[in-house]
Amino acid sequence: MISVLTLTYKRHNLLEEAIQSFLSQELPPECEMVVINDNADVDYVYDHPRVRIINHKERFPSIAAKIEWGYKQGKYDYIYRLDDDDLLTPWALNNARIDILTNPGFDIYRSQGMYFFVNNIYERENSNINNGNIYSKAYLDRIKWPSTSNGEDADITFHHGGKIYESKLKHTMCYRWGMGTFHISGLGEHSNQVILDHADKVLDDTKGKIELTPKFLNDYYTQIANKLNMNRLTEIANRIGTDKGTMDYGHHYTILYHELLNELSKRHVKMLEIGVADPRFPGASLEMWNEYFPDIELIGYDINPDAKQFEKDNVYVFIGDQNNPEHLEECIKTYGGDFDIIVDDGSHYGEHIVTSFKTLYPYLKEGGTYIIEDLHAAQLDEKKMIEEIKALNYECKEFYQAHHNKLLIIVK
């Protein structure tokens, strides 16, 4: 069915990851990986019944020539094009098999996109010339081959009248950029010899026999799974870098916040957040909220004068002590009340939280949401603080703890 043609040159560490991505498949019958190494000074060795490594002792004059020779070494009728710095997704070959069997008669099968990594960190879904392209051997046999080392993918895929099927299934390839290595597509237009010489100059010059040990150096698949399962607010939080998201240091609050607040993104929102200058994530939450709500008037409140730097356009910052009612009232006098959302991510001291709530809750709009974060903070007597808030006897529609009791949610 499918031969995964993997081109490699002086990058055995990356190659080991590419091989591991093949071995991580639920391998359908009749599939193999064929690795073409044309570094005459190195012999790669790896023993696996589905992985064939061909150590070619003469340098190919171009990448196109390497592909043309390489596809003829495959045992099967379909050739999946994979470079050594890219990876198969865990479902790649199974999805490819489904596409080929249920949509016969096409020359080229390709995903609508790929998972784009920069320096091994997953950034986004993207699309390129090679989205995990699979070519029928019959098609490759009949085309006129280019003689280039840059742009050959576009030529092979789009310039010979091939009948293309775009998969409706999940993407089959992880496209990796950066990583301290060189990428031919990043060099621009140069002659084959310039590109080949540049590769010799910057890549690993290890010689001799190298026993390959396939393995992943990063958890690529978990990154993709987290991204695919995350909501828009979580995606923004993780990209910007705030502890409200789901990164290793995150509290995962955005999972709940999206459920609570997503409907507000369809209209104008007025929001106040206490505590916006955490030195670990300075200004990050303001940036997150400002991107999440398309039409927002956002006021940050912080005791640190440096927080003023986060002001821009519709984002304002008031400098004050959250335990000082006069400061809080001055903030209201300056920016007005009628808030849809108030979030207290300030000092996490019970007295400060109660003072802020007592002063600000009357300025929360009917149906608005008041959120107190990090009830697990070491300096906070959570039970006492909640009792003091209840003792204020403010009317509310909902009053509950959430997210493993780390949040207190009050809906007016």
Side-chain angles (χ1 to χ4, degrees):
M1 176 69 73
I2 302 169
S3 295
V4 179
L5 176 62
T6 307
L7 309 187
T8 190
Y9 188 80
K10 291 189 174 184
R11 300 197 292 194
H12 68 274
N13 291 329
L14 295 179
L15 175 60
E16 288 177 333
E17 293 193 282
I19 295 173
Q20 181 60 44
S21 76
F22 174 80
L23 300 177
S24 299
Q25 306 290 304
E26 291 184 12
L27 290 173
E30 296 188 331
C31 69
E32 64 171 354
M33 173 177 268
V34 181
V35 178
I36 309 297
N37 163 46
D38 61 339
N39 178 6
D41 296 324
V42 169
D43 284 324
Y44 293 136
V45 178
Y46 179 63
D47 184 18
H48 189 280
R50 301 256 196 133
V51 179
R52 286 193 292 134
I53 297 177
I54 301 174
N55 294 300
H56 192 266
K57 292 306 177 183
E58 183 178 351
R59 187 83 180 273
F60 289 98
S62 68
I63 300 301
K66 193 171 181 177
I67 299 170
E68 183 179 10
W69 187 87
Y71 91 83
K72 296 173 182 175
Q73 315 311 310
K75 292 193 298 186
Y76 299 120
D77 292 334
Y78 293 91
I79 306 297
Y80 189 113
R81 165 92 163 88
L82 186 76
D83 286 327
D84 58 3
D85 57 349
D86 297 323
L87 306 170
L88 298 169
T89 56
W91 48 81
L93 295 183
N94 191 50
N95 281 8
R97 179 174 176 272
I98 291 170
D99 281 337
I100 293 169
L101 291 177
T102 57
N103 302 279
F106 287 86
D107 299 310
I108 302 165
Y109 296 82
R110 65 195 305 266
S111 296
Q112 294 181 356
M114 42 70 172
Y115 303 109
F116 184 68
F117 286 73
V118 176
N119 295 323
N120 294 319
I121 302 298
Y122 178 53
E123 285 209 344
R124 62 187 183 276
E125 292 181 64
N126 205 350
S127 183
N128 206 332
I129 293 164
N130 186 4
N131 285 340
N133 295 347
I134 303 167
Y135 307 92
S136 74
K137 266 191 176 179
Y139 170 73
L140 296 178
D141 284 342
R142 72 172 186 260
I143 68 173
K144 178 176 173 58
W145 278 81
S147 59
T148 56
S149 291
N150 198 339
E152 78 289 342
D153 278 338
D155 185 288
I156 295 167
T157 306
F158 300 117
H159 295 173
H160 299 277
K163 189 179 178 184
I164 299 174
Y165 177 79
E166 278 207 344
S167 178
K168 310 300 186 296
L169 304 176
K170 288 191 292 186
H171 308 328
T172 65
M173 192 177 79
C174 303
Y175 184 96
R176 298 198 289 167
W177 193 258
M179 305 180 293
T181 189
F182 106 107
H183 303 272
I184 291 175
S185 56
L187 291 179
E189 292 294 330
H190 293 286
S191 68
N192 289 328
Q193 196 57 53
V194 167
I195 291 173
L196 298 180
D197 289 346
H198 185 73
D200 281 327
K201 187 181 299 183
V202 301
L203 296 178
D204 180 21
D205 202 30
T206 302
K207 294 179 172 60
K209 180 180 176 182
I210 296 179
E211 297 271 358
L212 297 175
T213 307
K215 59 184 177 296
F216 285 141
L217 300 179
N218 295 275
D219 195 350
Y220 306 102
Y221 297 160
T222 297
Q223 290 187 59
I224 294 173
N226 288 342
K227 196 82 165 187
L228 292 178
N229 293 330
M230 73 175 57
N231 60 55
R232 179 170 167 267
L233 182 58
T234 301
E235 186 278 323
I236 295 169
N238 291 352
R239 169 163 43 81
I240 289 171
T242 163
D243 63 351
K244 297 186 194 315
T246 60
M247 301 294 276
D248 291 343
Y249 49 77
H251 297 303
H252 295 224
Y253 294 158
T254 51
I255 296 172
L256 176 62
Y257 289 169
H258 179 73
E259 294 178 10
L260 289 176
L261 307 173
N262 182 48
E263 283 299 310
L264 296 180
S265 65
K266 299 174 183 177
R267 63 170 175 82
H268 177 75
V269 173
K270 187 172 183 182
M271 179 175 183
L272 172 68
E273 180 168 29
I274 301 170
V276 297
D278 186 326
R280 299 169 300 163
F281 321 103
S285 60
L286 290 177
E287 189 176 350
M288 176 192 76
W289 294 121
N290 193 38
E291 182 174 341
Y292 183 65
F293 293 112
D295 182 12
I296 185 172
E297 181 183 355
L298 179 58
I299 296 98
Y301 186 104
D302 206 283
I303 198 169
N304 185 349
D306 291 342
K308 271 289 186 182
Q309 67 183 294
F310 307 128
E311 287 192 324
K312 61 178 181 181
D313 300 329
N314 56 308
V315 180
Y316 312 94
V317 175
F318 185 91
I319 304 303
D321 181 350
Q322 78 166 118
N323 197 38
N324 187 321
E326 292 182 2
H327 289 182
L328 293 164
E329 290 287 358
E330 184 63 27
C331 177
I332 299 301
K333 183 179 178 181
T334 303
Y335 298 108
D338 209 26
F339 294 104
D340 296 286
I341 308 164
I342 298 175
V343 175
D344 186 340
D345 187 19
S347 68
H348 306 310
Y349 282 97
E351 180 188 352
H352 301 182
I353 292 170
V354 174
T355 298
S356 297
F357 181 82
K358 181 179 180 180
T359 308
L360 295 174
Y361 188 78
Y363 297 103
L364 187 68
K365 186 183 295 185
E366 183 78 16
T369 303
Y370 197 109
I371 301 171
I372 299 169
E373 293 187 344
D374 300 343
L375 302 188
H376 60 294
Q379 66 268 35
L380 176 61
D381 185 335
E382 170 193 337
K383 185 176 179 181
K384 180 183 177 184
M385 180 269 293
I386 291 176
E387 288 175 351
E388 291 179 359
I389 286 178
K390 285 182 175 179
L392 294 171
N393 290 319
Y394 284 144
E395 291 187 5
C396 63
K397 294 177 180 176
E398 297 181 56
F399 188 107
Y400 62 95
Q401 287 181 253
H403 206 77
H404 309 291
N405 293 329
K406 293 180 179 180
L407 297 171
L408 180 61
I409 312 290
I410 302 140
V411 179
K412 190 172 182 179

